[in-house]
């Protein structure tokens, strides 16, 4: 017998169970990460860092409560992340959450620790109110502490936390020298690179004179875009550095552009000659690539001035990399006025491997070049196929000790510049150079973390516009025609069946 | 189970023998395809080898597409009286509800299968993340399950198809938009609750490529809730005062 009461009780019970189930599920859950790069799981680099912890680390998270759900989600995600960190580190990581908005003292404490408040809009009693919110954390180990002033949601969270922990735990940071004094930019003109290197290394600039030596503490020397020539004595110093097992990274292009005259010329530096002796020749031509970045060009139409992006093949975008620890996870590096590399090593004890290439539609142009943004490019301009733009050389580069050399055929691509002209670089540009320095210094611990969360999955840039249009309309129309086709087919079949049924000799 | 299968098969056949199903599918594919390939933030505009543009537009097209399919499922049978005929057969109310549910779900899965050329095309022109794509399709199927059960419930309480369509949109709009919008204006645990109830939170979570038991339980709960309500509405005729 079914009565109203019975139905009501059953419904109430079932919905009670469902709600309870949801509450339980929101506290205890399992996550399966199906993304190809495991973007939402801890990377091996993090696991390694956590496994090698010897001293306990305290994470104090200053997170405001009572925030709109989209921001409160960051707090929840961060808590989930910390739970996982604590598990993976064998409880070496201890964490606590503090609500700085609770009392005035805790707010002052948070600000003194270096946490920066953000202003958010909260709706309260039909009014939009501004509220200070804190989303930062302090990481402590012993008497050392590091601050993450603002936690960014997403994959950046893991990067921030892991690098901060790494920063605290690294003992005796190795020294990296930046060569100056021959027209190279100062370290301060490369803030993005500096920030990343600061985690693992001490950085200092190095000037070399003939008959001097590079201080013993430097294991790796970085030479970015030397504009002036070096003396023979200076080259001998570099050779001696290699001979004692030092490693060198060179980012050098044999060509340069002067944007005020819109002219491109050869660089008046003899640095290329030294590299040539090591078996890597930096070609004295501009690399041009159909797969390139754009520049903004002002166009006047009547009274109006428009800014239109125009493809500029002198800014090649590199998507093709050889498998190598340096290029792991890199997706697109944008070079600026680059030169292709050539290899001519006669010495069999030196192993040279190209690691990055331009696209299949590339070419070179001999300086001097006049840059004409209005020039229309066709495939006839790109006749050379893919050209190497970066290479590594290992072996007895000078003397009898093994050493390593990385050469990248562009110097500008890692320089932010200073003052008003400073520009933001592509994240992979910085990743490329820091990975190379890690490889040279035998520390590839952060490589995986660095390129994690870079989500660019570019569509093949060599697609012709006509192919694109074809693909667009094919994809738009094919499913529709398939459905119509099936409908007609089914209609015909039904008609046949019907005809058979009404035909006389059925039965 | 056999009875469920029989009903599913019959319903599915009836769909494909009616013109209205083709019109609906073509409208769904047309709108989804238009915004995935030709206009707005389409695939070539974003320049990324990802089906995300399709998943975000399908979130909206499914919201309209599903009530349009489910509106006649029970309402029409009630109007023409065939529901009495069906229920006097040796099938339980549950088997009828489940049969109709699976038939609609299968129709949606078949419709989604017609978008596989999108996947193959993007696969051929760029480094697509296969895991994320399959999770996106899975997310769409889970969302469809929830919307179908809401649609069936709406269809069971009235014998007018238009009322059923509007009612199902009305309930759906809470899960699709209203909870989401409201949750951004409230703080604390009430905001959390609204955000949890919002379908988009869970759909986004799956379609980025992560399968979380939280989201599965959420979708299954709504589906089950809707189906149970539908069944109890159908069984109302057996109630003894």
């Amino acid at each position: 017998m079914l009565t109203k009461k019975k139905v009501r009780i059953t419904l109430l019970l079932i919905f009670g169970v469902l709600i309870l189930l949801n509450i339980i599920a929101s506290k205890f859950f399992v996550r399966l990460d199906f993304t190809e790069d495991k973007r939402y799981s801890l990377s091996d680099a993090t696991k390694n860092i956590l496994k090698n912890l010897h001293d306990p680390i305290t994470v104090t998270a200053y997170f405001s409560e009572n925030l709109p759900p989209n921001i409160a989600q960051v707090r929840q995600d961060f808590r989930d992340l910390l739970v996982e960190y604590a598990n993976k580190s064998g409880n070496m990581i201890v964490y606590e959450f503090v609500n700085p908005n609770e009392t005035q003292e805790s707010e002052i404490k948070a600000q003194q620790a270096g946490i920066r408040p953000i202003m958010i809009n909260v709706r309260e009693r039909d009014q939009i109110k501004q509220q200070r919110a804190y989303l930062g954390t302090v990481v402590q180990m012993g008497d050392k502490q590091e601050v993450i002033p603002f936690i960014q949601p997403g994959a950046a969270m893991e990067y921030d936390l892991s690098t901060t922990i790494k920063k605290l735990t690294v003992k005796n940071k190795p020294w990296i020298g930046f060569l100056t004094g021959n027209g190279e930019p100062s370290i301060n003109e490369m803030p993005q690179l500096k920030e990343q290197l600061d985690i693992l290394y001490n950085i200092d600039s190095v000037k070399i004179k003939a008959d001097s030596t590079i201080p013993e503490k430097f294991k790796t020397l970085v030479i970015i875009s030397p504009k002036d020539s070096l003396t023979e004595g200076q080259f001998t110093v570099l050779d001696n550095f290699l001979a004692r097992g030092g490693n060198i990274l060179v980012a050098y292009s044999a060509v340069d552009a002067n944007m005020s005259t819109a002219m491109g010329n050869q660089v008046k530096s003899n640095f290329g000659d030294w590299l040539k002796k090591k078996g890597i020749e930096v070609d004295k031509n501009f690399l041009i690539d159909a797969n390139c970045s754009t520049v903004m060009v002002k166009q006047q139409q009547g009274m109006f001035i428009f800014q239109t992006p125009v493809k500029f093949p002198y800014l090649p975008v590199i998507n093709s990399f050889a498998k190598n620890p340096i290029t792991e996870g890199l997706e697109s590096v944008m070079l600026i006025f680059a030169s292709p590399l050539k290899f001519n090593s006669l010495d069999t004890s030196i192993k040279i491997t190209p690691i990055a290439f331009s696209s299949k539609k590339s070419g070179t142009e001999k300086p001097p070049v006049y840059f004409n943004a209005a020039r229309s490019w066709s495939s006839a301009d790109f006749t050379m196929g893919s050209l190497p733009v970066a290479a590594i050389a290992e072996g007895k580069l000078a003397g009898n000790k093994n050493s390593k050399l990385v050469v990248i055929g562009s110097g500008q691509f890692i320089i932010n510049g200073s003052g008003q002209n400073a520009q933001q670089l592509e994240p992979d540009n910085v990743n490329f150079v820091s990975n190379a320095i890690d490889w040279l210094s035998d520390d590839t611990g952060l490589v995986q973390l660095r390129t994690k969360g870079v989500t660019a999955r570019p569509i093949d840039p060599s697609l012709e516009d006509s192919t694109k249009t074809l693909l667009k309309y094919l994809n738009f129309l094919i499913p529709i025609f398939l459905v119509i086709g099936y409908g007609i087919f089914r209609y015909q079949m039904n008609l046949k069946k019907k005809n058979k049924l009404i035909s006389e000799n059925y039965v | 189970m056999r009875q469920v299968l029989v009903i599913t098969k019959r319903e599915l056949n009836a769909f494909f023998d009616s013109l209205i199903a083709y019109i609906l599918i073509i409208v769904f594919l047309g709108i989804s395809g238009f915004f995935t390939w030709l206009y707005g933030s389409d695939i070539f505009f974003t320049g990324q080898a990802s089906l995300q543009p399709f998943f975000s537009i399908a979130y909206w097209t499914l919201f309209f597409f599903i009530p349009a399919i489910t509106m006649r499922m029970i309402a029409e049978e009630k109007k023409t009286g065939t529901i009495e005929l069906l229920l006097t057969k040796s099938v339980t109310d549950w088997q009828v509800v489940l049969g109709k549910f699976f038939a609609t779900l299968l129709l949606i899965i078949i419709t989604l299968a017609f978008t596989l050329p999108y996947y193959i095309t993007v696969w051929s022109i760029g480094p697509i993340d296969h895991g994320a794509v399959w999770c996106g399709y899975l997310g769409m199927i889970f969302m469809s399950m929830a919307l179908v059960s809401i649609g069936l419930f709406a269809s069971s309480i009235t014998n007018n198809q238009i009322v059923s369509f509007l009612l199902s949109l009305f309930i759906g709009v809470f899960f699709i938009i209203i909870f989401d919008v409201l949750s951004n204006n409230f703080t604390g645990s009430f905001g959390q609750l609204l955000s949890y109830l919002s379908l988009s939170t869970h759909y986004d979570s799956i379609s980025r490529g992560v399968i979380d038991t939280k989201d599965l339980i959420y979708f299954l709960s709504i589906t089950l809730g809707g189906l149970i309500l539908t069944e109890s509405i159908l069984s109302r005729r057996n109630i003894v005062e």
Side-chain angles (χ1 to χ4, degrees):
Chain A
M1 268 246 289
L2 200 64
T3 60
K4 249 184 185 167
K5 200 173 161 198
K6 236 183 193 170
V7 174
R8 274 191 198 141
I9 292 174
T10 326
L11 280 182
L12 225 64
L13 270 176
I14 292 176
F15 278 91
V17 170
L18 280 184
I19 290 169
L20 207 67
L21 201 67
N22 275 280
I23 294 173
I24 296 171
S26 63
K27 299 273 180 251
F28 306 96
F29 53 87
V30 184
R31 242 178 225 169
L32 292 176
D33 187 346
F34 285 96
T35 52
E36 206 173 306
D37 39 8
K38 295 277 170 278
R39 207 175 314 146
Y40 304 101
S41 317
L42 291 190
S43 70
D44 289 344
T46 296
K47 285 181 198 156
N48 267 335
I49 294 171
L50 295 178
K51 222 186 290 163
N52 296 327
L53 282 181
H54 299 298
D55 300 305
I57 285 186
T58 318
V59 179
T60 315
Y62 290 94
F63 270 69
S64 302
E65 279 168 27
N66 277 334
L67 296 176
N70 55 341
I71 304 177
Q73 189 60 41
V74 181
R75 178 190 158 99
Q76 190 55 45
D77 287 350
F78 192 60
R79 189 187 283 272
D80 293 347
L81 190 71
L82 282 173
V83 170
E84 225 169 315
Y85 269 60
N87 285 339
K88 289 268 152 48
S89 66
N91 287 324
M92 276 300 206
I93 295 205
V94 192
Y95 62 88
E96 61 165 337
F97 274 79
V98 176
N99 177 9
N101 296 69
E102 214 156 38
T103 59
Q104 193 122 34
E105 287 146 40
S106 55
E107 190 163 353
I108 292 169
K109 204 175 147 204
Q111 287 189 347
Q112 275 172 348
I115 314 280
R116 193 171 67 228
I118 53 163
M119 300 305 283
I120 51 161
N121 291 329
V122 179
R123 191 185 155 130
E124 210 168 79
R125 287 194 205 96
D126 297 325
Q127 279 185 335
I128 297 289
K129 198 182 82 175
Q130 289 242 314
Q131 192 190 321
R132 270 198 305 279
Y134 293 85
L135 300 165
T137 194
V138 176
V139 183
Q140 272 173 302
M141 191 183 86
D143 50 355
K144 285 195 284 186
Q145 77 168 41
E146 285 283 339
V147 182
I148 309 175
F150 174 65
I151 299 224
Q152 281 171 347
M157 219 182 247
E158 186 194 343
Y159 177 77
D160 285 345
L161 192 56
S162 293
T163 47
T164 309
I165 294 173
K166 182 87 183 174
K167 231 190 227 178
L168 284 175
T169 50
V170 166
K171 282 175 196 142
N172 307 326
K173 286 186 186 182
W175 285 83
I176 305 285
F178 275 71
L179 190 68
T180 52
N182 311 290
E184 297 95 345
S186 79
I187 304 172
N188 296 329
E189 285 175 59
M190 298 175 271
Q192 268 179 284
L193 179 64
K194 183 174 182 290
E195 191 190 333
Q196 224 167 65
L197 292 178
D198 269 339
I199 300 164
L200 290 179
Y201 307 103
N202 290 316
I203 304 170
D204 203 359
S205 54
V206 179
K207 266 188 190 164
I208 47 173
K209 287 189 207 110
D211 302 327
S212 68
T213 49
I214 292 169
E216 204 55 47
K217 65 181 180 186
F218 294 109
K219 258 194 82 183
T220 305
L221 188 66
V222 180
I223 305 174
I224 304 227
S225 204
K227 292 267 187 292
D228 305 330
S229 287
L230 277 72
T231 60
E232 275 310 310
Q234 283 177 307
F235 283 128
T236 317
V237 175
L238 290 183
D239 277 333
N240 290 340
F241 179 66
L242 285 175
R244 75 164 201 245
N247 304 312
I248 296 184
L249 173 105
V250 179
Y252 170 74
S253 166
V255 287
D256 194 17
N258 183 347
M259 281 335 253
S260 55
T261 56
M263 288 297 287
N265 290 303
Q266 261 188 39
V267 171
K268 291 182 191 69
S269 167
N270 60 355
F271 200 79
D273 303 338
W274 181 74
L275 283 176
K276 199 173 174 180
K277 279 183 213 152
K278 308 288 169 214
I280 299 178
E281 184 183 347
V282 180
D283 194 12
K284 287 177 179 144
N285 290 319
F286 278 96
L287 171 71
I288 51 171
D289 192 335
N291 181 20
C292 60
S293 188
T294 54
V295 286
M296 296 306 275
V297 174
K298 273 190 191 151
Q299 274 179 334
Q300 188 149 13
Q301 274 184 2
M303 299 169 57
F304 301 102
I305 293 173
F306 292 96
Q307 289 256 14
T308 27
V310 174
K311 285 216 158 202
F312 199 58
Y314 303 97
L315 308 177
V317 173
I318 307 299
N319 298 125
S320 154
F321 301 98
K323 206 172 157 40
N324 186 282
I326 298 180
T327 54
E328 194 179 305
L330 292 183
E331 275 158 358
S332 73
V333 173
M334 189 188 93
L335 299 182
I336 299 174
F337 302 114
S339 309
L341 304 181
K342 286 179 182 168
F343 310 111
N344 52 9
S345 175
L346 299 171
D347 192 341
T348 48
S349 66
I350 299 175
K351 195 179 136 215
I352 295 178
T353 327
I355 54 170
F357 307 89
S358 62
S359 82
K360 282 176 193 131
K361 283 187 183 172
S362 312
T364 55
E365 259 184 18
K366 205 172 162 53
V369 172
Y370 172 67
F371 299 122
N372 179 7
R375 175 174 167 186
S376 61
W377 298 85
S378 70
S379 22
D381 296 307
F382 309 104
T383 51
M384 311 229 339
S386 112
L387 297 166
V389 291
I392 52 179
E394 293 168 89
K396 297 184 175 70
L397 291 161
N400 282 326
K401 262 196 171 166
N402 280 338
S403 50
K404 296 190 263 190
L405 175 71
V406 176
V407 181
I408 304 169
S410 167
Q412 290 293 326
F413 85 111
I414 190 62
I415 304 168
N416 293 86
S418 57
Q420 291 246 309
N421 298 324
Q423 52 181 342
Q424 193 71 13
L425 298 174
E426 297 280 319
D428 267 356
N429 284 14
V430 184
N431 292 337
F432 188 27
V433 177
S434 351
N435 285 358
I437 290 174
D438 282 353
W439 179 74
L440 289 173
S441 321
D442 290 320
D443 192 335
T444 48
L446 288 181
V447 170
Q448 272 183 326
L449 261 184
R450 216 171 263 148
T451 48
K452 192 176 175 175
V454 182
T455 49
R457 293 175 166 277
I459 287 176
D460 185 3
S462 60
L463 276 185
E464 300 280 346
D465 276 348
S466 56
T467 327
K468 277 188 190 170
T469 316
L470 183 74
L471 282 177
K472 274 184 188 177
Y473 284 97
L474 273 185
N475 273 294
F476 178 57
L477 294 173
I478 281 183
I480 295 175
F481 281 126
L482 279 176
V483 174
I484 295 175
Y486 177 72
I488 293 170
F489 169 75
R490 199 179 163 96
Y491 179 70
Q492 294 291 342
M493 293 301 279
N494 280 348
L495 211 61
K496 234 187 221 169
K497 228 191 264 171
K498 203 163 140 197
N499 283 337
K500 207 170 155 193
L501 280 173
I502 55 175
S503 66
E504 278 177 56
N505 48 5
Y506 184 74
V507 181
Chain B
M1 201 60 215
R2 206 179 59 82
Q3 285 91 333
V4 177
L5 266 178
V6 170
I7 296 173
T8 306
K9 214 169 149 191
R10 194 218 80 95
E11 288 289 339
L12 205 59
N13 273 322
F15 266 132
F16 282 104
D17 284 334
S18 71
L19 189 62
I20 187 93
Y22 293 97
I23 295 177
L24 278 177
I25 296 178
I26 288 172
V27 169
F28 173 78
L29 291 175
I31 295 179
S32 307
F34 183 70
F35 287 104
T36 309
W37 294 99
L38 299 178
Y39 186 76
S41 49
D42 60 79
I43 287 182
F44 285 109
F45 179 78
T46 52
Q48 298 289 316
S50 141
L51 278 185
Q52 209 56 50
F54 170 58
F55 295 144
S56 10
I57 186 67
Y59 180 74
W60 293 104
T61 39
L62 281 175
F63 168 54
F64 289 100
F65 177 60
I66 291 171
I69 304 172
T70 52
M71 65 178 186
R72 50 168 285 279
M73 295 301 293
I74 298 171
E76 195 190 27
E77 295 222 39
K78 270 185 158 178
K79 192 167 194 175
T80 53
T82 46
I83 191 88
E84 293 300 326
L85 210 59
L86 181 59
L87 292 173
T88 45
K89 295 261 192 260
S90 64
V91 289
T92 61
D93 295 354
W94 260 117
Q95 287 164 342
V96 173
V97 174
L98 281 182
K100 285 177 183 284
F101 171 76
F102 285 125
T104 322
L105 192 64
L106 262 178
L107 176 80
I108 292 161
I109 293 175
I110 291 169
T111 310
L112 291 179
F114 278 110
T115 64
L116 286 179
Y118 300 178
Y119 174 36
I120 297 164
T121 308
V122 177
W123 184 358
S124 66
I125 57 173
I128 194 168
D129 187 342
H130 297 284
V133 172
W134 288 115
C135 284
Y137 274 102
L138 199 71
M140 284 197 286
I141 292 171
F142 273 111
M143 180 173 122
S144 306
M145 279 166 61
L147 290 177
V148 168
S149 79
I150 291 172
L152 281 181
F153 168 66
S155 182
S156 70
I157 40 182
T158 167
N159 53 15
N160 185 325
Q161 294 190 24
I162 305 293
V163 173
S164 154
F165 177 73
L166 291 178
L167 190 65
S168 144
L169 276 189
F170 179 71
I171 302 173
V173 93
F174 276 91
F175 289 98
I176 296 276
I177 315 170
I178 294 184
F179 288 144
D180 191 37
V181 172
L182 279 184
S183 75
N184 289 327
N185 279 325
F186 284 96
T187 55
S189 44
F190 188 57
Q192 296 273 338
L193 174 72
L194 288 173
S195 162
Y196 184 81
L197 281 176
S198 162
L199 222 146
S200 67
T201 317
H202 302 274
Y203 180 69
D204 290 346
S205 165
I206 289 193
S207 64
R208 68 189 174 153
V210 178
I211 293 183
D212 193 326
T213 48
K214 247 192 304 199
D215 304 325
L216 299 192
I217 298 268
Y218 168 83
F219 283 118
L220 292 178
S221 301
I222 292 192
T223 313
L224 209 60
L227 292 180
I228 286 168
L229 283 177
T230 316
E231 196 267 347
S232 30
I233 298 276
L234 273 187
S235 67
R236 223 166 26 176
R237 67 200 149 74
N238 295 331
I239 287 178
V240 184
E241 287 296 331

